[in-house]
Amino acid sequence: MGLFDKVSGIRRQTQVTLGPAEAFLAIALAAIASDGYIADAEAQSIYVAISRMKLFNSYPLDVIKKMINNLVGIMERQGVNTLLNAAVAVLPHDLEETAFAIATDLILTDGELTEEEEDLLNHLYQVLDISEDTATKIIDVMLIKNRG
């Protein structure tokens, strides 16, 4: 037993390990939580966004719900940055632009863009190593998609 095991009130950072599907969901969750809360409609929009993806075809809805609950727990305990860093580290390269597009879509769905949401998208395109030109195109398309 270590010295800090006897002291209460100190949270220890634990290593977060995610699979590809969890990483994708973590990025989507970070996007909808970037304004400080997760509304039920936003959480529902994640299910809609992933429903046609091959990555999630083999996952039953109850498993996806458990994944999301687990990821929300990590975000609450260790913060969105820890979750996002763990997700970016394991997200397959061929899903980076897709994850950015889904995150952008989820953020822009309500027709408003907070400073926190903008900061997250700026950070996300950089850590996913997406070119500024591609990120701008994705944002333009999502603005058009969510216009009406």
Side-chain angles (χ1 to χ4, degrees):
M1 181 179 336
L3 181 62
F4 284 95
D5 292 331
K6 297 178 183 179
V7 180
S8 64
I10 296 178
R11 292 187 327 185
R12 199 181 325 186
Q13 293 284 352
T14 57
Q15 182 69 24
V16 176
T17 305
L18 305 174
E22 291 171 308
F24 196 93
L25 284 173
I27 291 170
L29 279 170
I32 64 171
S34 62
D35 61 0
Y37 63 95
I38 300 174
D40 289 339
E42 290 175 320
Q44 185 63 32
S45 63
I46 288 178
Y47 296 115
V48 173
I50 66 169
S51 66
R52 291 175 281 157
M53 292 184 65
K54 286 186 262 181
L55 180 63
F56 294 97
N57 280 346
S58 64
Y59 292 98
L61 185 59
D62 63 320
V63 172
I64 292 171
K65 286 181 181 181
K66 286 179 186 176
M67 269 194 253
I68 289 174
N69 288 336
N70 181 45
L71 294 168
V72 168
I74 293 168
M75 196 172 6
E76 289 173 345
R77 288 187 306 277
Q78 298 185 40
V80 69
N81 287 335
T82 298
L83 183 62
L84 201 53
N85 290 338
V88 168
V90 298
L91 185 71
H93 179 70
D94 63 329
L95 291 177
E96 290 172 345
E97 290 175 352
T98 306
F100 182 77
I102 295 294
T104 303
D105 188 28
L106 292 169
I107 284 174
L108 296 175
T109 297
D110 64 3
E112 295 180 19
L113 181 66
T114 67
E115 186 176 333
E116 294 83 8
E117 291 169 332
E118 183 177 353
D119 289 346
L120 179 101
L121 289 177
N122 280 321
H123 175 71
L124 193 56
Y125 96 85
Q126 292 172 359
V127 297
L128 291 175
D129 200 27
I130 297 171
S131 72
E132 186 175 339
D133 186 51
T134 299
T136 301
K137 287 177 186 176
I138 290 169
I139 291 168
D140 284 343
V141 168
M142 292 307 159
L143 284 169
I144 292 167
K145 177 188 175 285
N146 290 299
R147 193 179 291 157

